[in-house]
Each structure stands twice: as C-alpha cells, then as structure tokens.
Amino acid sequence: MTRTVLESKTKTVVIGFDEPFCVIGERINPTGRKKLAAELEAGNFSTVEKDALEQVACGAMVLDINAGVVYNSNPDPNLTEPPLMTSMVQLVQGLVDVPLCIDSSVPGALKAGLEAAEGRPLLNSVTGEEERLELVLPLVKKYNVPVVAISNDDTGISEDPDVRFEVAKKIVQRAADFGIPAHDIVVDPLVMPIGAMATAGQQVFALVKRLREELGVNTTCGASNISFGLPNRHGINAAFLPMAISAGMTSAIMNPVRQVEMEAIRAANLLMNHDPNGGEWIRFSKVLEAVEGGMTFAEASAAQSSAASGRRGGRRARA
Amino acid sequence: MTRTVLESKTKTVVIGFDEPFCVIGERINPTGRKKLAAELEAGNFSTVEKDALEQVACGAMVLDINAGVVYNSNPDPNLTEPPLMTSMVQLVQGLVDVPLCIDSSVPGALKAGLEAAEGRPLLNSVTGEEERLELVLPLVKKYNVPVVAISNDDTGISEDPDVRFEVAKKIVQRAADFGIPAHDIVVDPLVMPIGAMATAGQQVFALVKRLREELGVNTTCGASNISFGLPNRHGINAAFLPMAISAGMTSAIMNPVRQVEMEAIRAANLLMNHDPNGGEWIRFSKVLEAVEGGMTFAEASAAQSSAASGRRGGRRARA
C-alpha cells in the first residue's frame, strides 16, 4: 500500500489508502490576507501563533507554512521570503508537534524551510513545468522529503482530465529518474469550480481513482475550489469531500477551522472504516455539543483538545 | 441505461443512473408512531395530509404509503390494512401529484394499494423469501409496476455482502421468469449500522457498484440505518448519502423533512452533474437562507414551493 510518511520532531503522520484522511491546514499563508502580511512585515507573529494552535486543535494533522508576502519595504520575494520562512517554521514547530508542509514558489524559501524544519516535512510543490521540475526535484531528493505534484505544465491547466493525468504521470516518471519513489509524490489533480464546469466533480473522482490504481500515488486538493462562485459553499464542500474520499482521495489542503467540512471528513473516516470503534466520531460529537451550547468551533475544539492532553498527561504521570 | 419509470396520474419520475437521486418520503407510516395509529383508527387523516404536503414541499419525489396499523378495535391487519390503504392512497393522490410507493407486508393491502393508485406506483417490497416471491411477483407482473427487492431470504439477513448480492441476483432471475425486466427491480442491499459493523459503509458502496454493473438494477436503501446508535446521526447520514450516490445508489426511502440530509443529496446531485447549471442548488440555497432567518425547513420549503408554483401558474396563464 502507498504510504507517504511525514514527520515532525516527535510525531509521524502517514498519508495513505488505509489511513484517516489527512487534513493539511492552509491558514498560515499571507496570500490574500493583507492584515497578516502587514503584521509579518512588522515582525508581529501573533496571528501565526493563533492559526497554528487553532488549526491543530480543530484537527489539522499537518500545517502548511507559506511565507508569500510582498513587503512594502522590499518588493523582492527572493530576498524577503527565505528568512521569513525560517522564522515561521521555527516558531510553529516550537508551538505544535505536527509535521509541516513547506509551501513557496520561491526556491530560496523552499530551501530555507527544508533547512529549518525538523523531521520530514512535505514540500509544496512541484508542477509539470520544466523549470519547476529541474528546480524542485533535486531538493526533494537531497532532503529526502515527499512532494506535492500539481498537474499543470508549461501549457497551463488543461480542462481535459486525461491531459492532467498525463502531466501527473510525467512528474512521477521524472521523479523516478531522480530516484524519488512514487509513494513520495502526492498528486493534486486540480479541482475546477463545478459552477463553471458541470463535470468537475466527476472528473476529480475519476482522476483520483486512476492516479491511485495506475500510478499508485496519494492525492491532495484544494477542496473548496469546487464550490467557487456558488451560494452555500460549505454545503457543496461537505458533500464533495466524502465523495472524493470514497473515490480514494487521501488528503486536502484546507481550512480545518470550518466545522461543516471537518464534520464531513470525520464522518467519511468512520464510513471508510478508518475510525476504529467510532472513537474519533464520538469525541468530535462532544465538540459539536459544545458548539450547540454557544462556543465557537475553534473554542470547543481547543477546550476538548486541552482536556484530552490533560488526561494523557495524567496517565503519563501515573505510569 | 437502467431507467425505472414511476408515474402518478400527471407526473413521471425516473429512477436512473443519469437522473437526480430519487428521494422517497417515508413518513406516511404508522409503524412506531402511536399517535398517528390512534388518529387513523379514529378516522382522522390530518397527519397524513400534513406529511404528504410537507414531504413533497421538502423535495420528496415519491411518497411511500404504509398502512401498517394494529387497531385496538380489530387486531387482524389482513382485515384492517386493505381498506385503510385504499383511503390513504386516494387521499394522498388527491393532495399531491407525485407517484406513490405502496408499502405493506399484508398481501391484501398491496392489492388494495395497486387498485387505488393512479399511474405506475412502486411496490414495496419483495424479498428473497420463497413465500414472498410467490406472492408478490405475480402482482408485479399483473399490474406492470416496478418493485423494491430487499436482499434477505429465508435464512434471514446475511452479514456477508456476497450472500446479499446472491439474494438480489436470485430475485432478479425469479422476476425474469415472470417476464419482469431488471429495470423494474430496485434492490435494497440492506444498510447495516456502522456502529455495530465497521465495514458497513464499504459493504454498501461495493454492493451498489456490483448491483449496478453486474445486474443493471437501480438501488435504494433505508439510509439512516447506517448511523443507528451513534451520536450526531445527521452528520453521518449526510456523508453516507453522497458517498452512496457516488458509488451509484439511485434512491433512498428516507425523511425528506430533514434539512442536513436533503442538503447533502442536493449537493451530491450537483457534483454528479445531475443539476444542470446548478439551478436546483441555487433554489435550495434560498430555502436555507429562509431557515437562517428563523423559519423551519418545512416552512421555508413550503413557502418556496408555493412561490414557485405561483410563478409556474403565472406562466401557464400567460401562455
């Protein structure tokens, strides 16, 4: 079975066909978050701290770290991103024990993240573009880490799922030339908005099956793209995720602070027999009860997670 | 493609692989509803009327009619069920225009329902039990109606999905001996509680695929059974339904007055490309907005459905 092993200093997370769905928290990313970008430029990391703790409490198993700011004081990301990535990685791994996903389009920032990260982070990302393949695959090999492979290439993003499959296949083959095994490639088949392309859902489900059966790779996606432009997006996302999971999707880069989507994923884990005795579902139901009692999802999740670590601490102390 | 055609006097509903998921409203059923049973014994049909109108407004495309009462005044259902079935069928088809599903374990009540129903109702149900096969299949043939086939037989309900598949296959073959085509059999593969059997979800998904690919039949289920005994059942049902739909399930006998489940089904229709241009999803989102504004789901659905028939009426009047 395909197993993509990620590690922090102390914790191992496996993305795999027989594992619970891997939720990669997307929030630590200043892209499109002006307030966060301004805070980071001012050296203020309080939002990063909050996002790290909150996402893990809500169920993120991996945290994506993106340092994609464009500072007013220095518009060259090749200069500003690498040191910011180092600081963010160090900060986050000091706060939480989950593995990280080092996310950048700037080569220096990828390197800086790989240097700073303890354990075995996920690298995000390579594409089928020649320049990107030549740049990222040597890093993947050198640092012996898994990598997210996005199925677009120098011709852009194809609307034809067969073309996107071929791009993924090319990346897997090129990685093999570098000695990188397929189980260290996590393919993002690209989710199109269903409002713009009526076959977008069926495309993803079919692609995920082929990627799994023919290439033996794990998969990930930006799940919320499916509902772009439509009303009640949470409702669409919450049906899409279980359907994708049942087709074989093994992870998503997403916002774990959204209750509806997390509920759908936890229910899908139970239905896929990836939640022995329903223990996780029953624990999660208590969080939902606290939400009905008036807490936010993040508060209720944090309260339960600190209660659980208190219990664990107690057991350790008695041992 | 497999198409199971149901008709009321004026309306055709097709259960099929390329059709929106068919929601069969289950509420008109006195089993386990003591208050309703007492009302029916007293000749009071107000709950039946309310259930008929509410279920159709909320999105039921077919209504199940079950007259399974045990009267205090007369404990023999062979005597009491047939006339009650006749009254209920006549009442309901006078109120709403959807096809009906005639549901009974009493032969006389099945016949009475078939006689009273206009159009082409669904018969509920035959099993693999010899006595039941010999009793129900002639009715199916005589009245030329489709039938729900439940995959248990004289040995009971098997926990082995291969056995349940074989029971379904036997029913399809026996039906063929009567000249009944496979597209008029809607198989219920039987949904076990996931809390009691950890593989229950995967069993259903695999069975639905086999029933579709190997027998070419439509499928149905009592969806909510999957979550029996667990907390936050709606959350489990709302993930189960999209997963089952994506495996190929084409209908369910369920409570359409439950918002969470109906939202999951409508989103799954959109994601399966069974909702052209997302028109149904956008209309449904307006119902959800009204719910957020304080209405119940049934009220909001009824308000929108009467507004829509007003508009349709308006267009007809101008034509």
Side-chain angles (χ1 to χ4, degrees):
Chain A
M1 295 308 281
T2 298
R3 292 164 54 89
T4 305
V5 176
L6 311 187
E7 289 168 351
S8 67
K9 191 176 177 182
T10 55
K11 205 167 187 170
T12 300
V13 167
V14 177
I15 306 177
F17 301 165
D18 286 329
E19 300 290 334
F21 192 69
C22 182
V23 173
I24 303 171
E26 72 181 6
R27 289 188 55 78
I28 302 179
N29 185 342
T31 313
R33 294 178 79 185
K34 279 191 185 171
K35 188 164 161 282
L36 175 55
E39 282 175 19
L40 293 172
E41 186 166 5
N44 170 2
F45 289 84
S46 57
T47 299
V48 175
E49 288 179 16
K50 178 171 173 282
D51 282 343
L53 294 168
E54 233 178 45
Q55 290 185 101
V56 171
C58 288
M61 296 155 74
V62 175
L63 290 186
D64 189 88
I65 311 279
N66 181 309
V69 284
V70 178
Y71 286 164
N72 293 317
S73 52
N74 184 340
D76 182 358
N78 289 300
L79 295 176
T80 56
E81 273 202 41
L84 179 61
M85 177 64 88
T86 303
S87 307
M88 287 167 89
V89 165
Q90 286 170 345
L91 174 72
V92 171
Q93 70 192 0
L95 278 173
V96 293
D97 62 357
V98 300
L100 303 182
C101 176
I102 308 296
D103 179 6
S104 183
S105 54
V106 172
L110 291 179
K111 255 190 221 175
L114 288 168
E115 285 293 333
E118 298 171 306
R120 193 168 197 250
L122 178 61
L123 200 61
N124 188 6
S125 58
V126 70
T127 67
E129 296 162 294
E130 278 307 315
E131 194 187 76
R132 197 81 188 162
L133 286 164
E134 290 304 316
L135 184 95
V136 175
L137 292 181
L139 287 177
V140 171
K141 179 61 185 171
K142 178 178 172 193
Y143 289 88
N144 182 28
V145 290
V147 65
V148 173
I150 304 182
S151 20
N152 65 292
D153 64 9
D154 295 290
T155 64
I157 297 177
S158 173
E159 292 196 354
D160 179 347
D162 291 339
V163 172
R164 301 212 298 282
F165 179 83
E166 289 305 323
V167 173
K169 192 171 170 184
K170 179 180 87 172
I171 301 174
V172 169
Q173 284 166 343
R174 289 288 285 276
D177 294 342
F178 280 86
I180 301 160
H183 67 244
D184 272 341
I185 316 276
V186 180
V187 172
D188 180 344
L190 289 166
V191 173
M192 309 287 176
I194 190 96
M197 187 190 287
T199 55
Q202 292 171 304
Q203 275 196 3
V204 173
F205 309 145
L207 259 172
V208 165
K209 272 183 208 148
R210 286 193 69 191
L211 289 165
R212 180 174 172 145
E213 287 166 13
E214 297 178 38
L215 302 185
V217 292
N218 278 307
T219 43
T220 195
C221 66
S224 64
N225 204 38
I226 194 75
S227 59
F228 180 81
L230 286 169
N232 187 24
R233 295 186 61 177
H234 293 306
I236 300 172
N237 300 345
F240 174 74
L241 283 160
M243 292 167 95
I245 289 170
S246 131
M249 182 86 76
T250 45
S251 72
I253 301 177
M254 55 177 282
N255 185 350
V257 185
R258 296 209 173 120
Q259 173 189 328
V260 181
E261 282 88 337
M262 290 304 282
E263 183 175 359
I265 288 171
R266 298 216 183 247
N269 282 340
L270 175 64
L271 292 163
M272 295 293 284
N273 194 14
H274 294 157
D275 178 5
N277 303 312
E280 290 296 328
W281 179 258
I282 291 164
R283 270 187 288 279
F284 185 74
S285 297
K286 287 179 187 154
V287 172
L288 297 187
E289 275 172 34
V291 170
E292 283 191 7
M295 289 173 108
T296 67
F297 178 59
E299 288 165 355
S301 300
Q304 212 219 23
S305 120
S306 70
S309 56
R311 281 197 301 276
R312 279 199 298 272
R315 277 202 296 273
R316 270 205 299 274
R318 280 195 302 274
Chain B
M1 294 308 280
T2 299
R3 292 163 55 87
T4 305
V5 177
L6 311 186
E7 289 168 352
S8 67
K9 190 176 177 183
T10 56
K11 205 166 186 169
T12 300
V13 168
V14 178
I15 305 178
F17 301 165
D18 286 329
E19 300 289 334
F21 193 69
C22 182
V23 173
I24 303 171
E26 72 180 6
R27 289 189 54 79
I28 302 179
N29 185 340
T31 313
R33 294 176 78 185
K34 279 190 185 172
K35 189 165 161 279
L36 175 57
E39 282 176 18
L40 293 172
E41 185 165 7
N44 170 3
F45 288 84
S46 56
T47 298
V48 175
E49 288 180 17
K50 178 170 173 284
D51 282 343
L53 293 169
E54 234 177 45
Q55 290 185 100
V56 172
C58 289
M61 297 156 73
V62 175
L63 290 186
D64 190 87
I65 311 279
N66 181 308
V69 284
V70 178
Y71 287 164
N72 293 316
S73 51
N74 184 342
D76 183 356
N78 290 300
L79 296 175
T80 56
E81 272 201 41
L84 180 61
M85 177 64 89
T86 303
S87 308
M88 286 168 88
V89 165
Q90 287 170 345
L91 174 72
V92 171
Q93 69 192 358
L95 278 174
V96 292
D97 61 358
V98 300
L100 302 182
C101 176
I102 308 297
D103 180 6
S104 184
S105 54
V106 171
L110 290 179
K111 255 191 222 175
L114 287 169
E115 285 293 335
E118 299 171 306
R120 192 167 199 252
L122 179 62
L123 199 63
N124 187 4
S125 58
V126 70
T127 68
E129 295 161 296
E130 277 307 316
E131 195 188 75
R132 196 81 188 161
L133 285 164
E134 290 305 315
L135 184 95
V136 175
L137 292 180
L139 287 177
V140 170
K141 178 63 184 170
K142 178 178 172 195
Y143 289 89
N144 181 29
V145 291
V147 65
V148 173
I150 304 182
S151 22
N152 65 291
D153 65 9
D154 295 290
T155 64
I157 297 177
S158 173
E159 293 198 352
D160 180 347
D162 290 339
V163 173
R164 300 212 299 282
F165 178 83
E166 290 305 323
V167 172
K169 192 172 171 183
K170 179 180 86 171
I171 300 174
V172 169
Q173 285 166 343
R174 288 290 283 278
D177 294 342
F178 281 86
I180 301 160
H183 67 244
D184 273 341
I185 316 277
V186 180
V187 172
D188 180 345
L190 288 167
V191 173
M192 308 288 176
I194 190 95
M197 186 190 287
T199 56
Q202 292 171 302
Q203 275 196 2
V204 174
F205 309 144
L207 259 172
V208 165
K209 272 183 209 151
R210 286 193 70 190
L211 289 165
R212 179 175 174 146
E213 287 166 13
E214 298 177 37
L215 302 185
V217 293
N218 278 307
T219 42
T220 196
C221 65
S224 64
N225 205 37
I226 194 76
S227 59
F228 180 80
L230 286 170
N232 186 25
R233 294 186 62 177
H234 294 306
I236 299 172
N237 300 345
F240 174 74
L241 283 160
M243 292 167 94
I245 290 171
S246 134
M249 183 86 77
T250 45
S251 72
I253 302 177
M254 55 178 280
N255 185 351
V257 186
R258 296 211 172 119
Q259 173 189 325
V260 181
E261 283 87 338
M262 289 304 281
E263 183 175 358
I265 288 171
R266 299 221 182 241
N269 282 340
L270 175 64
L271 292 164
M272 294 294 282
N273 194 15
H274 294 157
D275 178 4
N277 303 312
E280 290 296 328
W281 180 257
I282 290 164
R283 271 187 288 281
F284 185 75
S285 296
K286 286 177 187 154
V287 172
L288 296 187
E289 274 171 35
V291 170
E292 284 192 7
M295 289 172 108
T296 67
F297 178 58
E299 287 164 357
S301 300
Q304 212 219 20
S305 122
S306 70
S309 55
R311 282 197 300 276
R312 280 201 297 272
R315 279 202 295 275
R316 271 204 301 274
R318 281 196 300 276

